[in-house]
Amino acid sequence: MNTSTLELNAVRGELARDILNIDDIDILKKIRQNISVLLSRVHGVGTKSKADILADLDGIFANLKDMKDGKIQGRSVENLFNEI
């Protein structure tokens, strides 16, 4: 595993923790909107529709909310590293 993979996984973990600590629905909606815009710029037009990206993000945020509410258990960053 190279350093860039470790750094990528660390940033993902930090981002997930930051999102889980947000209790304001308006901020979460704004984050979702901004992620959608960024992804469309990175992947270009035609790779995935805005609706598909939003649906994917809705699923991600639903999982994060379930984790925060204790309905499901997430995996630790250490376990994710061990899988790699």
Side-chain angles (χ1 to χ4, degrees), residues 6-21:
L6 289 173
E7 184 179 5
L8 175 64
N9 288 332
V11 171
R12 285 178 175 156
E14 291 169 2
L15 180 59
R17 279 190 298 278
D18 289 344
I19 290 171
L20 287 171
N21 288 322

Side-chain angles (χ1 to χ4, degrees), residues 51-77:
D52 289 338
I53 293 170
L54 290 175
D56 290 346
L57 289 172
D58 281 339
I60 291 168
F61 286 116
N63 284 341
L64 289 172
K65 183 181 181 310
D66 288 345
M67 285 173 52
K68 185 176 182 181
D69 294 343
K71 295 178 183 175
I72 60 174
Q73 186 176 4
R75 296 182 294 178
S76 69
V77 172

Side-chain angles (χ1 to χ4, degrees), residues 26-53:
D26 293 325
I27 292 173
L28 290 171
K29 286 179 180 180
K30 197 64 130 166
I31 290 169
R32 181 177 60 190
Q33 179 183 15
N34 287 326
I35 289 173
S36 176
V37 169
L38 288 170
L39 290 175
S40 67
R41 288 181 185 165
V42 169
H43 295 295
V45 177
T47 57
K48 203 167 194 184
S49 73
K50 180 178 178 180
D52 289 338
I53 293 170

